Amino acid sequence: EGAWIFNGERDSIPEVIAHPEPVRVPIDKPVVSVSAGDNHTSAITSDGELWNWGGHNQYGGLGREVEGNYIAPGKVMDHAKASANGNLHTAVLTDDGDLWLFGGNSNGQIGNGGGGDETFVGLRISYPCQRLPLKVLDNVKAVATGGNSTYAVRNDGSLWAWGDNEGGILGNGDGITFTWEEEAEANKLLGEYY
């Protein structure tokens, strides 16, 4: 019962807490799957509950209404069958074949045309976020994420992709590829030096 992870945690705690041995995650029911993103984790229990924890909820990546990092798991939704976590977003496939997304939408990875129910405002950037789960597709049988992109296989076998297309990762033939030098120059113009 529950979930075991081998992972370090970092939150608003003044020091980094590393766990070089497995630690039990406090979910009081059997867990059937787990997925991890850049700084957040999702687990699905045997009765279809989706539990999320970690960072990035300022972008809505945990699907919880209140902004902030959560170092303990919290239930987000029912009827979950599979989940995939990107850098700032989470995709959830429910047992009826609906695909729900929430989180940062900086590259359109939520799949709703680039909008959201809130706007994240940072020091140098702002972009839409979807804090609460939003149904994006139906008739889906598999889901995956990659960074700031989302992928879904529908019941008819067709593959759908949306979000960040750097390097042509979406596979639709119109990706923009940047060399490292071009990306570094663009970052300098934005004020971020590498």
Side-chain angles (χ1 to χ4, degrees), residues 47-193:
D47 60 355
E49 293 179 351
L50 175 77
W51 292 67
N52 280 350
W53 65 96
H56 292 319
N57 203 48
Q58 67 269 33
Y59 314 106
L62 299 179
R64 297 195 191 181
E65 290 186 56
V66 179
E67 185 176 310
N69 295 337
Y70 291 85
I71 59 173
K75 181 182 165 189
V76 176
M77 60 189 296
D78 292 309
H79 306 289
K81 177 179 175 182
S83 65
N85 298 24
N87 285 347
L88 305 174
H89 72 294
T90 302
V92 181
L93 177 60
T94 56
D95 53 16
D96 59 1
D98 291 338
L99 182 62
W100 297 77
L101 282 102
F102 46 90
N105 203 14
S106 58
N107 296 95
Q109 61 265 44
I110 300 299
N112 63 348
D117 56 11
E118 290 187 15
T119 300
F120 169 77
V121 179
L123 294 175
R124 297 183 190 151
I125 59 170
S126 66
Y127 53 83
C129 299
Q130 182 64 42
R131 185 165 306 281
L132 299 177
L134 176 73
K135 180 181 167 184
V136 176
L137 282 177
D138 57 11
N139 297 310
V140 174
K141 64 180 179 178
V143 62
T145 57
N148 292 318
S149 303
T150 307
Y151 308 85
V153 177
R154 296 187 96 172
N155 291 336
D156 65 4
S158 61
L159 176 61
W160 295 70
W162 58 94
D164 184 10
N165 198 23
E166 183 174 347
I169 193 169
L170 298 182
N172 64 350
D174 69 358
I176 299 172
T177 303
F178 293 104
T179 65
W180 183 88
E181 294 84 5
E182 290 169 331
E183 187 172 337
E185 185 61 31
N187 288 330
K188 284 180 187 176
L189 294 173
L190 293 172
E192 297 181 21
Y193 298 94

Side-chain angles (χ1 to χ4, degrees), residues 13-26:
I13 301 171
E15 62 186 77
V16 175
I17 301 170
H19 290 282
E21 296 178 5
V23 296
R24 190 169 196 284
V25 177

